[in-house]
Amino acid sequence: MGSPQGSPGRGGLGLLVVFFLLLLSPVVVLPQLCVWYGECGVASGDKRYNCAYDGPAIALPEDGYDLMQELCPGLFFGNVSTCCDVRQLQTLKNNLQLPLQFLSRCPSCFYNLINLFCELTCSPDQSDFLNVTSTIPYYDPILKENRSSITELQYFIGERFANAMYNACKDVEAPSSNVKALGLLCGKDVKDCNATNWIEYMFSKDNGQTPFSIIPIFSDAPVHGMNPMNNATKGCNESMDDSTGPCSCQDCSIVCGPKPQPPPLPAPWLLFGLDAVYVIMWISYMGFLLIFFALVFGVWCYRRRHFVSEYTPIDSNIAFSVNSRRDNGKITCGERLGERFENGLRMTFTSWGAFCVRNPRPVILFSVVFIAMCCSGFVYVKATTNPVDLWSAPSSQARKEKEYFDTHFGPFFRTEQLIIQAPNSHPDTYSPYPSGADIPFGPPLTKEILHQVLDLQDAIVNITASFDNETVTLKDICLAPLAPYNNNCTILSVLNYFQNSHSVLDHAIGDEFFVYADYHTHFLYCVRAPASLNDTSLLHDPCLGTFGGPVFPWLVLGGYDDDNYNNATALVMTFPVNNYYNDSRKLMKALAWEKEFINFLKNYDNPNLTISFSAERSIEDEINRESNSDIGTVLISYIVMFVYISIALGHIQSCRRLLVDSKISLGIAGILIVLSSVACSVGIFSYFGIPLTLIVIEVIPFLVLAIGVDNIFIIVQTLQRDERLQGETLDKQIGRVLGDVAPSMFLSSFSETVAFFLGTLSTMPAVRTFSLFAGMAVLIDFILQVTCFVSLLGLDIKRQERNRLDILCCIKSNEEMSGVQRSESILFLFFRNLYSPYLLKDWMRPIVIAVFVGVLSFSTAVIHNVEIGLDQSLSMPDDSYVMDYFSQLGKYLHAGPPVYFVLEEGHNYTSLEGQNMVCGGVGCNNDSLVQQVFNAAEIGSYTRIGYAPSSWIDDYFDWVKPQSSCCRVYNTTGQFCNASVTDPSCTRCRPLTQEGKQRPQGKDFMTFLPMFLSDNPNPKCGKGGHAAYNSAVNFIHNKSDVGATYFMTYHTVLKTSSDFIDAMKKARVIADNITETMGIKEKSYRVFPYSVFYVFYEQYLTIVHDAIFNLSISLGSIFLVTTVLLGFEVWAAVVVSITIAMIIINMFGVMWLWGISLNAVSLVNLVMSCGIAVEFCSHVTRAFTVSTKGTRVERAEEALSHMGSSAHQ
């Protein structure tokens, strides 16, 4: 029997069982509670508080279903009970617009972010992770009841969730700004951003967007009875759904795999730890010396036993001298032909010289008429000072690419730039409130200096110029990217962080004891987030420039270390001015304003500021000034040479015959002939429209002077050393002398002319222009010297024989003298009696050869170390203000020049395949154009690409998304409706459907693209493309299709010529690879890089080839001409060519010693030195070949004495 009912023992057991079962129960279902619902009370402006509410979730009205599905699809289930109403959903959407525009390009990143805000705003389980800590009373006028507005709460967030969200978003790019998106959304530099301070910034009331304080608390474990929100997240390498791929490589580094690595630098070629070329040339030279002196010693011993010296009489008992000329009775065909050619030249010039002396007046008159006709071309003369025309050939690749860029996008803007220092100012120290380490500020960043710099900036803005009776101001010519909506000029200046306003610069918040925020605070924020419209301090001032674009700190500050912009020691201020393609009137207005800009800064005086500056026209102006100053240098040189010629040509017999024996008038005539030949050359080519260049003005007068004076001395001194034969008349004597020396002059002049004219085959404008003018000038100089000068020489000798005074030829001297006496110059006596015999001694010749081979070996060893390029400061006058600017630019430059990767017209952007080839976002090819430039920026130290490219197409895709409020149209007219417009008739461009969320293609792509490019950025839509991309897209066919486009980035800092050359070379390699991987190599369009400096540095990519080609052509032509004009003396021509080649190689050795780089200017001088070398070598060589002396040494002595002394006058 069981226990009776109601027994105490049985009842106690039942209670125990029930209690035990309760303990074992796994889940206790608690009701879902909210912490708020609805909005009540105005926080500030249009920002509102949320109403405190601690009841269960409330069913969302049906008119909020679309918003819930759009924003928080994870909460759209069941009866859609939430802790938010429709108004709160709309506020959430508005607040998410800016993050949406920058982060939605990586769907998983934005999914995590919106999850964070959806749980905060609408989760039915808010009470699990939200804790209200402060409220204020609020009376609801509609419900007529008292309520509470939440002013502060705690948001408990799982650390795992926070870190996962940050990791998914940290690599997302902001294409229009060339920076990471978190750099614009984190409130600080991207390198200082992490999961906690990013979320703290988004929830901070100080960011200007959050209406009340939300304090995030990070923990994965429960804290104070609160369960942190730790929802599942998506990694950036994970797909959101079947229709959406993972984030692109550009926005997610783990998708890319390992970071690209630059190829290793080529190992230097070393032997025994030294430069291999040095070692090889040293060993070769030592080997040469050993073999050469062994042979010399062997020959010397052999001659001691079997031969006599060439300087002693031949003994009858000894066979013959090694230097004696043996006649074997056979004459070769070449010798016969050479003899006939030599006799023909001699007879021709003999007859011609006699004719000129007999008929001086007609010859001189004809010469003057010829000179006048040639010089009449001066009315068409044009001088080229445009650096592009000076250094870049019209047919060059860089020049064609520049023309393409200028035609399709407009020319690159003109740059007016100042570098400002504050030498008398001291660094400032800022102490943040309420705590924090002291922050140093550089001397130019003190408030007093910034006010003075702002005054200077305002004064520059107010500069006026006059052109064609019109007043020109900066606003008329400046770059205003948002015009006509915003006509403010682009001014890249640190003052634009303060809206170029003294009052904003002085803006401060504080009390009588502390300063909570001032310009220091604002500056520190703006250099981290230059595109911000509201800083996080109490100031809430914008950082965005007044022109509508960001001012990046590396463009406006200099002299700082790493990214510590506050340590800047210089300010950089840049005024971009519009350039004009084929619009000379507008260009002249810009030039007029730049002239006033330069004059203003030259006269500006502020003892607290040191200013270095340059305008776009500065280099051209200074080249013009230098050209004008060089005219004086040329005239002084000619005057000095005239005085020297007058003294050196005249051989004064006595003081009383000074004015008779002097050659002042002949010297004047010789100098005028040289000048006339240069003038004729300029006049002839001016007829054909070929402009002068700086090199023609500076170099050719000296070149022709050297050659012309050399020929004058040869003619006159040969005549002075000659004795008139019995019964010989003056005309026959001068004709005979000219017959002796003119073939040598013809040989050298013709060799030089041919060599120079062949130099026009060069693609380098400087070399080609120099070669044209130099070749013609040398040819005309020779013609005038064997015609006009010979006639003038005959007249001068007649004057001297008649004892008439020089210059005053009508006056006759009382000092009678029977004819002109034979005379020899001091230099001729030195060569004949000392230099030639000493140089040609048996023991001296091997030493001379050894020394010169040594110099040749040294030059060959260092030739590969000659640098390539041209320091632009070398083209400026030493006293130029631009020199100081160049110096400061190299010291304070922190940003490289912009580079544009241009995709030529022909690409199809409206197809998915065509888009994937170019873009860098979700679904784009891993080897797309944008992605490859991005990869290059990852190894910028090698590729010299500094940043990810700004991509109009990626920003366009973000802008046009239906989730964004950017792309809207009026439903009545279909016209574009800006995001800042509040009008119920404005509707989304594309439906919020799965199809509408896809990229626009076909007709849709072209419908909305012009709207994107006309949209100005604003707080509700920062993706408007007007400011960043207005010129990046070239429309064709009446805006029905996209033509050429560009994607801009920046080079790394480039300081030396080798940096610029390497940057251009690497950019072209990248562009060629993009063209190949896009599969458009065989089509009619391609990708090419363009930067403003490419036209100047392209020549250096091929300058080694050009130098070898030009010098080889010159040497080859010299060899051929010398062979023919020396009467087919092949070995003599070989000796001349080898000697000139040695001179050229030795010139490279001198260039290395003196630190002269190989460039167009030095190449011109090398070509010129080749011509001058011909002048010295050919005269002596021909004198040797026609000498009748018995031995080679005697012939060499005679040639060196007679021709060497005249050539070296």
Side-chain angles (χ1 to χ4, degrees):
M1 292 179 69
S3 298
Q5 190 174 11
S7 151
R10 186 167 181 176
L13 180 63
L15 289 172
L16 185 63
V17 170
V18 171
F19 180 72
F20 180 72
L21 289 174
L22 287 172
L23 289 176
L24 293 178
S25 178
V27 177
V28 178
V29 179
L30 298 175
Q32 297 176 329
L33 297 178
C34 301
V35 300
W36 65 40
Y37 189 86
E39 295 180 346
C40 53
V42 176
S44 62
D46 59 348
K47 301 176 182 63
R48 299 178 65 84
Y49 293 118
N50 287 341
C51 301
Y53 168 70
D54 57 0
I58 301 173
L60 183 70
E62 290 187 5
D63 60 350
Y65 280 11
D66 288 343
L67 272 176
M68 182 61 74
Q69 279 187 302
E70 176 187 344
L71 298 174
C72 309
L75 299 179
F76 191 76
F77 60 88
N79 66 348
V80 196
S81 295
T82 65
C83 293
C84 62
D85 63 8
V86 177
R87 190 170 183 177
Q88 283 178 292
L89 278 174
Q90 187 61 52
T91 300
L92 175 62
K93 179 179 179 179
N94 293 338
N95 291 339
L96 285 175
Q97 285 306 304
L98 195 61
L100 170 70
Q101 293 154 27
F102 288 102
L103 298 178
S104 62
R105 55 184 282 120
C106 178
S108 52
C109 161
F110 191 69
Y111 168 82
N112 298 331
L113 179 71
I114 207 167
N115 206 342
L116 175 73
F117 281 94
C118 283
E119 290 296 317
L120 168 69
T121 307
C122 296
S123 172
D125 301 316
Q126 280 181 333
S127 59
D128 280 355
F129 46 81
L130 294 181
N131 178 37
V132 177
T133 57
S134 177
T135 61
I136 58 173
Y138 170 71
Y139 178 76
D140 191 330
I142 298 176
L143 298 177
K144 297 183 178 180
E145 62 182 18
N146 292 320
R147 306 184 69 179
S148 296
S149 299
I150 296 175
T151 57
E152 183 180 278
L153 84 162
Q154 296 172 328
Y155 188 0
F156 292 82
I157 304 169
E159 288 185 359
R160 180 193 59 79
F161 178 90
N163 290 326
M165 183 181 76
Y166 170 76
N167 289 331
C169 296
K170 65 181 181 181
D171 295 324
V172 178
E173 292 287 328
S176 62
S177 301
N178 300 99
V179 295
K180 300 293 184 186
L182 289 190
L184 305 175
L185 301 173
C186 195
K188 55 183 63 187
D189 194 78
V190 69
K191 69 180 179 62
D192 299 322
C193 186
N194 55 41
T196 56
N197 59 30
W198 176 30
I199 295 174
E200 286 171 353
Y201 170 71
M202 288 192 293
F203 290 152
S204 172
K205 186 179 178 181
D206 292 335
N207 66 16
Q209 303 297 320
T210 306
F212 53 89
S213 295
I214 301 174
I215 303 170
I217 299 174
F218 302 95
S219 175
D220 284 331
V223 180
H224 306 304
M226 306 297 291
N227 295 314
M229 192 282 291
N230 224 340
N231 287 5
T233 57
K234 293 282 187 181
C236 63
N237 59 337
E238 297 180 71
S239 299
M240 290 297 303
D241 49 51
D242 294 337
S243 63
T244 306
C247 302
S248 69
C249 171
Q250 188 175 347
D251 299 317
C252 181
S253 58
I254 57 177
V255 172
C256 305
K259 183 179 177 179
Q261 297 297 320
L265 294 174
W269 187 25
L270 302 177
L271 289 176
F272 311 113
L274 301 172
D275 188 308
V277 180
Y278 291 174
V279 175
I280 291 171
M281 292 311 301
W282 175 256
I283 294 174
S284 300
Y285 182 54
M286 291 299 103
F288 166 79
L289 290 182
L290 184 63
I291 296 171
F292 177 69
F293 279 108
L295 288 174
V296 169
F297 183 72
V299 170
W300 180 78
C301 291
Y302 183 75
R303 287 178 58 187
R304 290 278 294 177
R305 293 183 61 186
H306 300 285
F307 296 90
V308 295
S309 169
E310 59 217 43
Y311 293 108
T312 59
I314 299 176
D315 192 284
S316 58
N317 297 323
I318 300 177
F320 56 87
S321 169
V322 71
N323 287 322
S324 64
R325 304 179 68 184
R326 292 175 293 169
D327 187 359
N328 55 15
K330 296 180 181 180
I331 300 177
T332 65
C333 180
E335 290 174 339
R336 187 180 297 109
L337 184 61
E339 183 180 2
R340 289 179 180 176
F341 187 79
E342 175 67 30
N343 289 336
L345 283 178
R346 187 187 300 272
M347 292 175 62
T348 299
F349 282 112
T350 297
S351 301
W352 177 252
F355 173 81
C356 291
V357 176
R358 288 195 304 270
N359 304 279
R361 290 174 181 79
V363 171
I364 294 172
L365 179 63
F366 175 80
S367 300
V368 171
V369 171
F370 171 76
I371 293 170
M373 290 176 62
C374 292
C375 290
S376 62
F378 268 80
V379 297
Y380 305 105
V381 71
K382 293 184 296 183
T384 298
T385 54
N386 184 351
V388 174
D389 294 327
L390 283 174
W391 305 114
S392 179
S395 60
S396 68
Q397 179 182 341
R399 190 72 175 273
K400 290 178 179 177
E401 291 169 350
K402 179 183 184 301
E403 290 294 325
Y404 189 94
F405 187 92
D406 291 351
T407 303
H408 290 81
F409 309 113
F412 191 78
F413 53 77
R414 304 174 68 84
T415 303
E416 333 298 343
Q417 193 169 69
L418 296 79
I419 299 175
I420 305 169
Q421 300 170 73
N424 300 324
S425 181
H426 300 287
D428 183 23
T429 302
Y430 168 60
S431 300
Y433 176 86
S435 62
D438 287 350
I439 301 173
F441 272 65
L445 292 175
T446 62
K447 184 185 289 188
E448 294 76 14
I449 293 298
L450 289 176
H451 275 296
Q452 293 179 41
V453 173
L454 182 53
D455 288 336
L456 169 63
Q457 179 178 305
D458 290 340
I460 292 173
V461 170
N462 293 324
I463 290 175
T464 60
S466 178
F467 172 72
D468 199 15
N469 296 324
E470 291 183 33
T471 300
V472 183
T473 65
L474 181 62
K475 280 189 176 292
D476 298 324
I477 59 173
C478 72
L479 182 68
L482 296 185
Y485 310 102
N486 177 350
N487 291 317
N488 286 325
C489 294
T490 299
I491 303 176
L492 300 179
S493 164
V494 71
L495 279 314
N496 234 322
Y497 290 148
F498 306 94
Q499 309 303 293
N500 301 323
S501 166
H502 287 285
S503 61
V504 176
L505 182 59
D506 287 330
H507 189 194
I509 301 293
D511 55 30
E512 56 184 322
F513 301 106
F514 299 103
V515 175
Y516 306 140
D518 64 357
Y519 86 97
H520 295 98
T521 319
H522 186 65
F523 172 87
L524 292 172
Y525 177 80
C526 289
V527 296
R528 305 302 178 190
S532 173
L533 291 166
N534 193 333
D535 68 20
T536 57
S537 72
L538 297 174
L539 299 175
H540 297 302
D541 289 329
C543 296
L544 200 68
T546 57
F547 58 91
V551 178
F552 297 112
W554 59 84
L555 296 177
V556 297
L557 298 168
Y560 54 84
D561 54 296
D562 297 327
D563 288 335
N564 299 314
Y565 302 114
N566 48 283
N567 289 332
T569 56
L571 306 179
V572 181
M573 188 185 298
T574 307
F575 298 85
V577 169
N578 284 317
N579 218 337
Y580 300 97
Y581 186 77
N582 292 335
D583 192 336
S584 58
R585 180 174 178 80
K586 290 183 177 179
L587 182 60
M588 292 303 292
K589 286 184 177 181
L591 290 170
W593 188 88
E594 287 175 354
K595 184 176 181 180
E596 294 302 321
F597 167 82
I598 293 171
N599 291 335
F600 171 80
L601 289 174
K602 281 184 176 179
N603 298 317
Y604 181 78
D605 183 28
N606 184 333
N608 297 320
L609 301 179
T610 300
I611 302 172
S612 305
F613 66 94
S614 173
E616 186 72 20
R617 66 177 290 163
S618 293
I619 293 179
E620 189 170 346
D621 285 350
E622 292 303 286
I623 289 175
N624 276 330
R625 186 167 71 87
E626 186 177 25
S627 302
N628 293 333
S629 65
D630 287 338
I631 295 174
T633 305
V634 171
L635 291 177
I636 292 172
S637 301
Y638 272 70
I639 291 171
V640 171
M641 190 58 65
F642 154 69
V643 173
Y644 171 71
I645 291 173
S646 300
I647 295 173
L649 285 183
H651 291 278
I652 313 301
Q653 304 295 326
S654 64
C655 292
R656 283 179 291 183
R657 289 187 56 84
L658 174 64
L659 293 179
V660 176
D661 293 336
S662 66
K663 300 290 184 185
I664 296 175
S665 56
L666 193 62
I668 293 174
I671 294 295
L672 289 176
I673 285 174
V674 172
L675 279 173
S676 298
S677 64
V678 176
C680 287
S681 177
V682 172
I684 289 171
F685 288 114
S686 295
Y687 274 122
F688 295 99
I690 299 175
L692 281 170
T693 65
L694 179 66
I695 291 179
V696 171
I697 297 170
E698 288 189 334
V699 178
I700 291 181
F702 295 102
L703 169 67
V704 181
L705 180 64
I707 294 172
V709 169
D710 190 24
N711 290 339
I712 289 172
F713 275 107
I714 289 173
I715 295 174
V716 175
Q717 291 190 343
T718 302
L719 178 63
Q720 288 172 342
R721 290 193 293 265
D722 183 71
E723 289 187 2
R724 193 176 301 174
L725 302 178
Q726 186 71 29
E728 189 177 41
T729 59
L730 176 62
D731 61 306
K732 290 184 178 179
Q733 182 191 14
I734 293 179
R736 176 169 53 81
V737 169
L738 189 65
D740 288 339
V741 300
S744 179
M745 294 166 54
F746 180 60
L747 166 62
S748 62
S749 299
F750 192 66
S751 298
E752 292 157 359
T753 299
V754 172
F756 286 139
F757 279 149
L758 288 176
T760 60
L761 297 175
S762 172
T763 59
M764 301 175 69
V767 177
R768 186 171 62 250
T769 305
F770 165 79
S771 298
L772 269 177
F773 283 87
M776 183 62 70
V778 170
L779 179 62
I780 294 175
D781 182 58
F782 169 75
I783 293 172
L784 292 177
Q785 283 177 334
V786 297
T787 53
C788 185
F789 184 77
V790 169
S791 296
L792 292 171
L793 176 61
L795 291 175
D796 189 71
I797 296 298
K798 290 177 182 178
R799 173 199 61 76
Q800 190 176 0
E801 288 179 344
R802 294 170 184 170
N803 292 319
R804 294 188 178 275
L805 302 184
D806 194 11
I807 302 178
L808 304 173
C809 54
C810 297
I811 302 175
K812 190 172 183 179
S813 172
N814 295 325
E815 186 72 17
E816 295 291 336
M817 187 174 181
S818 59
V820 178
Q821 301 295 315
R822 179 177 181 271
S823 61
E824 295 172 343
S825 67
I826 297 175
L827 191 59
F828 170 76
L829 296 175
F830 168 75
F831 266 78
R832 186 185 65 183
N833 299 330
L834 293 176
Y835 183 72
S836 299
Y838 189 75
L839 180 67
L840 294 170
K841 286 186 178 294
D842 283 351
W843 59 270
M844 178 57 72
R845 282 179 287 164
I847 294 175
V848 171
I849 292 174
V851 169
F852 276 87
V853 171
V855 173
L856 178 66
S857 300
F858 167 79
S859 299
T860 306
V862 302
I863 195 170
H864 67 289
N865 289 330
V866 174
E867 293 186 359
I868 295 174
L870 175 64
D871 183 353
Q872 55 187 344
S873 63
L874 295 177
S875 61
M876 297 290 103
D878 291 336
D879 62 343
S880 171
Y881 65 91
V882 182
M883 291 289 286
D884 182 51
Y885 170 76
F886 285 152
S887 172
Q888 302 304 319
L889 197 65
K891 186 183 301 183
Y892 296 113
L893 186 69
H894 280 277
V899 54
Y900 303 84
F901 285 87
V902 178
L903 179 53
E904 293 180 342
E905 181 181 323
H907 189 70
N908 183 9
Y909 294 90
T910 62
S911 70
L912 185 63
E913 181 186 8
Q915 293 169 1
N916 288 341
M917 288 181 183
V918 175
C919 63
V922 178
C924 303
N925 297 346
N926 286 335
D927 57 359
S928 69
L929 185 155
V930 171
Q931 187 60 48
Q932 288 199 53
V933 179
F934 173 81
N935 291 340
E938 291 288 285
I939 48 175
S941 60
Y942 172 75
T943 62
R944 299 192 183 275
I945 300 295
Y947 303 92
S950 57
S951 171
W952 64 266
I953 194 168
D954 288 298
D955 276 343
Y956 172 50
F957 291 152
D958 293 338
W959 179 88
V960 82
K961 285 178 179 176
Q963 303 96 311
S964 166
S965 63
C966 291
C967 187
R968 303 189 305 163
V969 294
Y970 290 101
N971 56 15
T972 54
T973 63
Q975 297 297 310
F976 174 63
C977 176
N978 187 275
S980 60
V981 175
T982 303
D983 190 326
S985 65
C986 291
T987 59
R988 294 188 183 97
C989 295
R990 311 188 77 214
L992 192 63
T993 61
Q994 194 61 35
E995 182 181 351
K997 293 179 181 179
Q998 303 299 315
R999 293 191 216 144
Q1001 298 176 39
K1003 185 179 179 181
D1004 273 0
F1005 184 91
M1006 292 307 305
T1007 299
F1008 305 120
L1009 181 58
M1011 300 180 186
F1012 165 69
L1013 295 175
S1014 65
D1015 187 20
N1016 293 330
N1018 58 74
K1020 292 188 177 181
C1021 178
K1023 284 281 185 175
H1026 190 186
Y1029 303 119
N1030 185 43
S1031 63
V1033 180
N1034 178 242
F1035 288 110
I1036 56 175
H1037 306 145
N1038 197 25
K1039 290 194 175 183
S1040 64
D1041 202 358
V1042 175
T1045 67
Y1046 69 66
F1047 300 81
M1048 190 194 81
T1049 181
Y1050 289 89
H1051 280 299
T1052 54
V1053 176
L1054 309 175
K1055 293 186 177 180
T1056 65
S1057 290
S1058 59
D1059 291 342
F1060 284 97
I1061 296 166
D1062 188 54
M1064 177 174 57
K1065 190 186 301 182
K1066 297 290 175 50
R1068 285 186 171 178
V1069 170
I1070 294 168
D1072 290 343
N1073 191 60
I1074 293 171
T1075 301
E1076 187 171 347
T1077 54
M1078 287 179 66
I1080 59 175
K1081 196 171 184 180
E1082 305 303 324
K1083 298 183 181 180
S1084 59
Y1085 65 97
R1086 66 187 178 101
V1087 176
F1088 69 83
Y1090 170 75
S1091 190
V1092 68
F1093 69 88
Y1094 285 1
V1095 288
F1096 305 113
Y1097 286 89
E1098 184 188 37
Q1099 58 184 309
Y1100 303 121
L1101 297 180
T1102 58
I1103 194 166
V1104 173
H1105 172 270
D1106 288 339
I1108 294 172
F1109 174 78
N1110 280 282
L1111 296 175
S1112 298
I1113 285 288
S1114 297
L1115 286 172
S1117 63
I1118 289 168
F1119 172 76
L1120 291 175
V1121 172
T1122 305
T1123 300
V1124 173
L1125 296 185
L1126 285 180
F1128 298 94
E1129 289 277 358
V1130 177
W1131 285 111
V1134 168
V1135 169
V1136 170
S1137 300
I1138 291 175
T1139 304
I1140 294 173
M1142 290 175 62
I1143 291 171
I1144 297 300
I1145 294 173
N1146 290 340
M1147 287 292 292
F1148 277 104
V1150 173
M1151 287 171 63
W1152 179 80
L1153 282 174
W1154 289 356
I1156 299 173
S1157 56
L1158 179 61
N1159 50 58
V1161 176
S1162 55
L1163 181 55
V1164 163
N1165 282 278
L1166 286 170
V1167 173
M1168 184 181 72
S1169 65
C1170 189
I1172 293 178
V1174 172
E1175 185 72 19
F1176 287 99
C1177 295
S1178 59
H1179 288 309
V1180 176
T1181 303
R1182 185 183 178 280
F1184 175 84
T1185 59
V1186 300
S1187 175
T1188 58
K1189 295 292 184 179
T1191 67
R1192 289 194 298 270
V1193 173
E1194 290 173 347
R1195 294 161 67 193
E1197 272 195 40
E1198 183 184 44
L1200 190 57
S1201 299
H1202 285 77
M1203 277 297 179
S1205 62
S1206 296
H1208 286 80
Q1209 279 282 359

